[in-house]
Structures are given as structure tokens and as C-alpha cells.
Amino acid sequence: MRTTNWQMFRFGLVYFNSQTSIFLIPIIVTDAGYQGWISVLIGSALSLVLLFFMIHVGKLKPGQSWLQFGGQYMGKWMHSILVFLLLGWCVYYASYDIENFVLFFGSNYMRGTPPLFIQLVIGIVIAYTAAKGLTTIVYMADGVFLLLIVTTFFSLYLFLPNANFQMLPAFIHYFDPGTTIKSSFAVSSWFSEWVVFLFVAPELKINTNMLKKLLLAELVLTVLVLAGWALTMMNFGPHLGKDLQYPYLDMVRSSSHDDIMGNLDPILIGIWSASMFIHSSFMIYVASKCALYLTKQKGKKLMIPFLTLCSVLIAFLYSLNISRYYNDFSSYSAVGVWLVVECIPVYYTMAAFIKSRIHKPAS
């Protein structure tokens, strides 16, 4: 695989932005209100801690996959349990992506279309992309990256004319420690999916250079989320902002511009869809690697279609009970589960440290 660390920067930004720019901002407005900027900064800082742990684990055995060497530190059975946990998380997360597609396109452009039809079509695209492997997914992110940055810039520009900048003092006058702490952990769960980046090895070496590029991706992502949250608050306020599902699209559609800038929503939807496909495909790719490890490389050809079908099935069950989906999607129980999985590199770092102390040669 001929991939550079700068490609990992672009891939990381596209991968995380597919979720945060669309779904995280309304959650921050709802949970944190005027304190949203504090939650974003703290949540981003917490995710950086997990990034450092991920890099450390990736450097334990350079040139080897975490799946292969993890058992040396955690023991075979515990390692298999954690691999299975990551497998289930990836499949479940991909089902969220699929259901998000159904809710958006089903309510805006494909009314009356059976959800299962949309889910199956999306599942086929995800399975096909995941089967192409990491190289294809990373190069897809390369193609989306520049368009993502340009359209995000213009979208934020559309927020400026009607923004109420007199609201700025309220951002520092309101402070509730309990709300801030809860919201910060929620934000960190969206920013901290670094564990899946262990699967770029051994195709790409995990080292300090990669750390620098991923740190830069995290910084850019934090700035974009802060800007999106602040402008959403200053345009819609804390009360109306809670009712928005897609702030960027709502702002573009309500824009007074009659030129191309006021008709960006089809472009935004296309770029968001592509970035979501990248996110989902990488999740299924990671899940397939975990499943093949657990089955000792059996069923290679059928594994990705099977796992994608599992995600489609979960999404279909959610489509039968939309209220359950919204409750699970935004609950703090889900935040807890997300953080347990995202902290997997922490467990291996601790195990490696304990093992190094136990087997430390006598001086």
C-alpha cells in the first residue's frame, strides 16, 4: 500500500467529520447550550489522550497487526473477548450510519420508499467498498477531502450574515459544572474512535509522524465543530437549535442567496453521503478483520457481506421503532459503551506496562 501520513490526515478528517458535522452539533446545542465550546474543548482533549494510547499500542510491535500481537499482552482469551467487543461495536455503529441514511433520504427525497429497500441498496455499496480494502477507502477520502473543506467553508460563510454576535458574552457567563462534564464525555465519545486506526497497520507504519498528522486532523476537526456550534447558536439560538437535525442544510436552505452559494444543499448532501460511506465501509472493513481473526481466516469471501447484512438487519429493526433509535443514539448509556470500546488501547498499554515491570531484568 503506497500511502503517506498526509493521506492519513485527510482520511482521519473525512472519517470523523462525517459524523461530527452532521449529528454532533445539535447534540452539543441540546446538552450543553451556551457551554458547548467548553464541552468541545474538553472532549477533544480527552480524545487526544486516547490517540496517544493508540499510537503507543501501534508501536509495540512495528510491522505487525494489533490482532496478531495483542494476545501477548492481554492473554489469548481476554484478547479474543476484546476483539469480539470491537467487532460488535463496528457492526452496530455501521447500522447507525445506515439508519441515518434512511431517515434523511426517506424523509427528504424518497418519501414512501420502503426503508428496507434503501437499507439494502446502501448495504450493497458499503459491502462493495469495504471489500476493496483499506487502500480504496483511503483514496476515496482523498477525493472527498478538498470538496469537504471548500463546502464547509462556504456553509460557515452562509451562517455569518444573520448571526447574532451580541450573544457572544452569554458563552462565558453561563457555567454549570455538571452539565459541562456530562456533555464533555459525550463529545469525547464522538472524537475518540482512534482504536480503529490500529487497523492501518501493518499496511502503514504507526509512528510519531502519523501521530503528528492525526493531531493536526484533530485540531482542524475541533475548529470546524466549534465554528459550526457557535454559528448555529448565534443563528438559531439554544431553543430552536435543539430542534435542528441538520444545521448546515437548514442554514443553506434558509439562505437569501440566489446564486450557487444559496443552492449548496445538493453538493453538501453528496459530500456527506460519500464521507458516510467511507465511515461505514471502514467500520465493516475493521469488523471483517476482527471476525476473520476469531474464525482463523475462515469464510473470507462471505465475511464482509454477512457483517454488512447484520448491520442492515439492525437498521431495519430500528426503522420499525424510530423512537427507540433516537433514544439509543443520544443516550448516555451509549456514550458509556462507546468509551469502553474506544479505551481498548488503554487496556493494552496498561498490560504492556505491567508485563514490562514483571519481566524487567534484574540490575
Side-chain angles (χ1 to χ4, degrees):
M1 176 180 178
R2 301 178 62 183
T3 305
T4 67
N5 287 321
W6 277 113
Q7 282 180 301
M8 292 310 301
F9 159 74
R10 294 189 288 271
F11 171 69
L13 189 59
V14 171
Y15 174 86
F16 281 101
N17 192 75
S18 66
Q19 298 291 312
T20 56
S21 64
I22 300 295
F23 305 111
L24 179 57
I25 291 174
I27 292 176
I28 298 173
V29 173
T30 300
D31 291 349
Y34 292 109
Q35 305 172 79
W37 64 276
I38 305 175
S39 300
V40 172
L41 292 178
I42 296 177
S44 179
L46 292 173
S47 76
L48 290 180
V49 175
L50 296 183
L51 171 58
F52 281 103
F53 278 111
M54 184 277 292
I55 294 293
H56 182 269
V57 173
K59 292 165 65 176
L60 288 175
K61 297 284 185 178
Q64 291 188 34
S65 167
W66 164 74
L67 289 174
Q68 303 305 319
F69 71 75
Q72 300 176 26
Y73 297 95
M74 294 295 292
K76 180 180 178 181
W77 288 106
M78 182 56 67
H79 178 58
S80 297
I81 290 173
L82 290 173
V83 170
F84 181 77
L85 180 64
L86 181 59
L87 162 64
W89 178 74
C90 289
V91 172
Y92 189 62
Y93 205 161
S95 73
Y96 273 2
D97 288 349
I98 294 171
E99 183 60 17
N100 284 329
F101 271 110
V102 172
L103 292 174
F104 179 79
F105 285 100
S107 61
N108 288 277
Y109 301 104
M110 303 178 70
R111 294 180 181 177
T113 304
L116 184 59
F117 174 78
I118 304 175
Q119 290 158 352
L120 288 173
V121 171
I122 294 169
I124 291 172
V125 176
I126 291 173
Y128 177 79
T129 306
K132 287 296 183 178
L134 180 61
T135 304
T136 298
I137 296 172
V138 171
Y139 278 99
M140 283 178 62
D142 268 354
V144 173
F145 173 77
L146 185 59
L147 290 173
L148 174 68
I149 294 298
V150 172
T151 53
T152 301
F153 170 79
F154 281 119
S155 300
L156 292 174
Y157 171 79
L158 291 177
F159 278 83
L160 291 173
N162 298 317
N164 180 13
F165 288 96
Q166 294 181 349
M167 192 183 291
L168 286 174
F171 293 168
I172 59 176
H173 289 162
Y174 288 84
F175 183 70
D176 177 9
T179 299
T180 300
I181 292 172
K182 289 179 61 178
S183 181
S184 296
F185 278 105
V187 171
S188 68
S189 70
W190 289 75
F191 278 55
S192 302
E193 298 169 31
W194 298 112
V195 60
V196 295
F197 281 72
L198 289 170
F199 289 82
V200 304
E203 285 87 351
L204 188 64
K205 188 176 181 181
I206 298 178
N207 53 25
T208 304
N209 289 330
M210 180 184 291
L211 172 62
K212 293 177 181 177
K213 302 306 183 293
L214 293 179
L215 282 172
L216 180 60
E218 175 80 7
L219 175 62
V220 174
L221 179 69
T222 302
V223 171
L224 291 179
V225 172
L226 278 173
W229 163 81
L231 290 172
T232 298
M233 288 287 290
M234 289 188 288
N235 275 272
F236 300 103
H239 302 293
L240 179 57
K242 295 179 181 180
D243 298 326
L244 299 178
Q245 284 187 296
Y246 314 105
Y248 285 99
L249 292 178
D250 289 328
M251 175 48 62
V252 170
R253 288 168 176 172
S254 63
S255 171
S256 60
H257 292 275
D258 295 325
D259 54 13
I260 188 172
M261 292 184 63
N263 295 278
L264 277 177
D265 51 320
I267 302 175
L268 285 174
I269 293 167
I271 295 172
W272 170 69
S273 300
S275 61
M276 286 286 283
F277 277 124
I278 290 169
H279 185 275
S280 304
S281 299
F282 189 54
M283 281 290 176
I284 295 297
Y285 169 81
V286 170
S288 69
K289 291 293 185 182
C290 294
L292 289 174
Y293 169 79
L294 294 172
T295 60
K296 302 186 185 302
Q297 306 301 313
K298 295 179 181 178
K300 285 187 177 181
K301 293 184 178 179
L302 297 177
M303 192 59 71
I304 287 179
F306 172 73
L307 294 173
T308 307
L309 186 61
C310 290
S311 294
V312 169
L313 177 60
I314 296 172
F316 174 70
L317 293 175
Y318 269 133
S319 67
L320 299 177
N321 191 346
I322 301 300
S323 60
R324 176 64 180 272
Y325 165 77
Y326 282 119
N327 179 70
D328 291 350
F329 186 76
S330 58
S331 70
Y332 280 95
S333 297
V335 170
V337 173
W338 253 237
L339 289 175
V340 167
V341 176
E342 291 165 349
C343 285
I344 284 178
V346 179
Y347 313 147
Y348 285 83
T349 301
M350 294 172 60
F353 174 77
I354 294 172
K355 184 175 181 180
S356 68
R357 303 300 296 180
I358 294 175
H359 297 284
K360 184 177 180 180
S363 56

